[in-house]
Amino acid sequence: MAGKRCIIKNGRIAPGLAMAGLLFLALLIILCLRPGLPDAAGEKLEQASRGLTAYQTTLRLDDEAHTLAISQQAGFRNDTENDLEQIVVRLWLNAYENEESSPAALEEIYDSCYPDGFSSGFMTLYDVMWNGARAEYAWLDAAKTALSISIPALKPGETGELFIRCVANIPHCAHRIGYTESGYQLGNLLPVIAMPDENGWDTREYSPIGDPFVSAAANYDLTVYLPEGYIPACSAPLEQGKDGAWRGKILCARDIALCASRDYILVKEQKGNTAVYSYGPSQASARRALQYAGQALDTFSALYGAYPWPALTVCSVDFPFGGMEYSGLCMIGENYYQEAMADSMELVIAHETAHQWFYSLVGSDQFHHPWQDEGICEYATLRYVQKRYGQGSYETLKFFRVDAPMQENIPGSLTPGSPIDYFPSYTDYSAVVYGRGAAFFLALDEMLEKGADDFLRSYADEFSFDFASRQEFELFLNQYAGMDLTPLVVDYLDTAH
């Protein structure tokens, strides 16, 4: 909010302006206390958003049936060099329909995700339309997560409107998608147009290990209807209108997450140009999470460039993970909201906040090259601790999070460069991708004249709101370093130690 200016004569406010000044001050106080959306996005964000797929989505949550009705229109432009005669849409929820395909049914986490036994989640399609006419469609995979929609030939540069109406049947499941006694966590739930790959479209499975969802930046305009008493936490900060609907927008988002609970307590603060929202089960725990999110935001903005979105949200959810990142929102496991878990909460929030730069701002292939976001974010977490608490704390954390994994005897030939479907367990995945992936960036920190942070800042700036393949990462690294660092890359990322 811009600062006010008043006219002063002889050390006093000029007559006739004192009352106006008091009224203006009162208005400022009202505006500061009034709940509302953050200021408009910056020029860089606005510029990057032009021409992106634009989703207009209406959601209605039925708490009795545990369903979410979805009506979504997407303005899509063909940015490829070829005519398109099909569009592929990912519906990740369908992976939860059967135990064989559910990412929450992995033996390692099954009991935590399904404490009352398996619960099926799936999407029921009602309308699929292209430019106002019904479109033919077919499933491309057994789990029904990839929907191929036939369209008249769409030439490069041409645009069209895709409309989907469906109902999500939400499983009773403590995972990315599900409901529990704590409320709803709905990540990866909305239909999203797939990323194109060398085979045409990305149709890879929704793997139980790692973060299998890969999507392009897009613009979202949301209208959400919730049962009375529910409070939403969302990638797009939502404001409730007189009609009871919650509305909000977010530009250049990789995906949308929506959480809702009757027990949420909201606290918030303004950090520069960013509104930080924290939703937790108690005032004290929500404030603790708010503090850590603000600290992480300050630290990473200084290291890797200004946070580009006008808002950042952290919220508690019921699942067996530390946290889960989405554009503009970090889900944090509710166990970390206990006062005794404060130190662990801080590290989780720091790691998930780092993903706002390395996953959300700079997209990457999280299926084939998970190190490209998890390894970076684990390194960034170490730097957060070093910046805030000094070298001693950094060395202690480095020993447990990097040095120990480097010494572990990992079975087989797993490396940080392995795709996520190579990993048999979260334990191996965490040690190799997080720990050994971070070791690579620590090595870069010693190798590069200005250190890894300066490189990552340049990398984030170069690929902002874009997608960086491994090949592009390596080419950019070699350009930045002024030398061929391929042997170092291969040694850390592709060699079993």
Side-chain angles (χ1 to χ4, degrees):
M1 186 177 291
K4 66 179 187 294
R5 183 179 64 181
C6 59
I7 301 173
I8 299 180
K9 293 184 179 179
N10 300 322
R12 296 186 180 182
I13 299 177
L17 293 177
M19 182 60 68
L22 289 173
L23 290 173
F24 185 71
L25 179 60
L27 178 60
L28 280 178
I29 293 172
I30 292 171
L31 289 173
C32 289
L33 293 177
R34 175 181 175 270
L37 299 182
D39 293 337
E43 183 178 344
K44 186 175 181 180
L45 184 65
E46 292 279 3
Q47 185 175 0
S49 71
R50 295 168 191 162
L52 297 183
T53 297
Y55 294 97
Q56 291 186 318
T57 307
T58 299
L59 306 173
R60 294 179 183 271
L61 180 65
D62 184 330
D63 197 26
E64 292 186 7
H66 303 300
T67 59
L68 186 75
I70 303 170
S71 294
Q72 180 166 275
Q73 182 166 301
F76 174 77
R77 184 178 69 189
N78 180 5
D79 288 327
T80 73
E81 298 178 353
N82 305 308
D83 290 1
L84 292 178
E85 295 183 349
Q86 68 166 347
I87 290 178
V88 174
V89 172
R90 304 310 304 259
L91 295 142
W92 302 114
L93 174 62
N94 282 338
Y96 291 80
E97 185 170 7
N98 302 302
E99 287 192 56
E100 294 74 20
S101 59
S102 171
L106 187 70
E107 184 177 359
E108 195 176 5
I109 58 172
Y110 188 100
D111 290 339
S112 298
C113 294
Y114 296 113
D116 299 322
F118 181 76
S119 174
S120 182
F122 55 93
M123 198 77 81
T124 303
L125 281 175
Y126 289 97
D127 292 307
V128 178
M129 305 181 76
W130 177 255
N131 286 339
R134 292 196 176 276
E136 298 293 323
Y137 59 85
W139 299 106
L140 298 179
D141 61 330
K144 297 182 179 180
T145 67
L147 184 70
S148 175
I149 302 168
S150 298
I151 63 172
L154 187 70
K155 297 184 181 301
E158 290 185 343
T159 61
E161 295 286 341
L162 175 66
F163 176 78
I164 293 179
R165 185 171 67 91
C166 55
V167 171
N169 295 270
I170 303 166
H172 186 201
C173 176
H175 202 255
R176 291 191 188 101
I177 304 176
Y179 73 90
T180 70
E181 288 67 27
S182 297
Y184 291 83
Q185 50 240 30
L186 308 174
N188 305 125
L189 183 63
L190 299 186
V192 60
I193 295 174
M195 284 278 290
D197 63 13
E198 63 275 8
N199 299 316
W201 296 94
D202 175 20
T203 59
R204 288 169 290 190
E205 67 173 328
Y206 194 56
S207 169
I209 302 291
D211 305 327
F213 47 95
V214 180
S215 53
N219 304 324
Y220 288 85
D221 189 331
L222 299 173
T223 300
V224 182
Y225 295 89
L226 297 175
E228 186 175 355
Y230 271 94
I231 299 170
C234 186
S235 293
L238 303 177
E239 184 176 48
Q240 192 171 28
K242 292 182 179 179
D243 61 351
W246 297 83
R247 295 180 175 86
K249 299 180 180 181
I250 184 171
L251 304 178
C252 302
R254 301 277 167 195
D255 205 341
I256 290 293
L258 170 66
C259 301
S261 174
R262 295 184 186 276
D263 300 325
Y264 275 154
I265 293 175
L266 167 64
V267 295
K268 60 184 179 179
E269 68 173 344
Q270 191 72 27
K271 300 285 289 187
N273 294 323
T274 306
V276 185
Y277 299 87
S278 176
Y279 297 82
S282 70
Q283 183 91 1
S285 63
R287 287 200 175 279
R288 193 157 52 243
L290 180 71
Q291 175 190 341
Y292 297 149
Q295 290 173 182
L297 192 68
D298 286 343
T299 302
F300 297 138
S301 291
L303 286 173
Y304 308 126
Y307 179 78
W309 289 277
L312 173 67
T313 296
V314 293
C315 64
S316 64
V317 299
D318 181 7
F319 61 18
F321 313 111
M324 188 68 236
E325 74 279 358
Y326 292 93
S327 292
L329 181 140
C330 304
M331 295 183 184
I332 308 298
E334 65 181 13
N335 288 341
Y336 290 87
Y337 281 74
Q338 302 171 36
E339 187 174 358
M341 296 288 285
D343 290 344
S344 296
M345 172 198 263
E346 182 172 9
L347 294 178
V348 170
I349 289 177
H351 179 95
E352 302 307 332
T353 303
H355 275 299
Q356 297 302 317
W357 281 261
F358 307 107
Y359 148 72
S360 192
L361 180 61
V362 180
S364 60
D365 185 345
Q366 300 158 211
F367 191 99
H368 284 115
H369 306 293
W371 62 271
Q372 211 168 326
D373 70 332
E374 295 298 359
I376 295 177
C377 292
E378 192 68 354
Y379 164 81
T381 303
L382 289 168
R383 296 291 285 126
Y384 168 86
V385 169
Q386 188 177 38
K387 288 286 186 181
R388 294 210 58 88
Y389 300 108
Q391 191 66 20
S393 297
Y394 161 81
E395 293 291 347
T396 299
L397 186 64
K398 175 176 169 291
F399 174 80
F400 288 106
R401 305 276 279 251
V402 178
D403 297 344
M406 287 297 288
Q407 296 169 14
E408 284 185 35
N409 182 23
I410 303 297
S413 57
L414 295 173
T415 71
S418 299
I420 57 178
D421 58 353
Y422 278 33
F423 291 90
S425 70
Y426 270 104
T427 302
D428 291 338
Y429 174 77
S430 178
V432 174
V433 174
Y434 287 65
R436 296 185 180 184
F440 167 63
F441 290 95
L442 291 173
L444 278 186
D445 196 45
E446 295 182 5
M447 176 73 69
L448 299 174
E449 182 180 349
K450 294 184 179 180
D453 290 326
D454 188 76
F455 162 69
L456 289 172
R457 187 185 185 99
S458 299
Y459 170 68
D461 184 63
E462 177 70 16
F463 293 97
S464 291
F465 310 111
D466 207 342
F467 188 88
S469 67
R470 171 168 172 169
Q471 182 182 22
E472 289 170 320
F473 176 93
E474 291 188 32
L475 286 172
F476 185 77
L477 173 61
N478 289 339
Q479 275 185 336
Y480 174 90
M483 67 180 90
D484 185 6
L485 293 179
T486 302
L488 180 73
V489 173
V490 171
D491 182 43
Y492 274 89
L493 300 182
D494 303 321
T495 306
H497 294 279

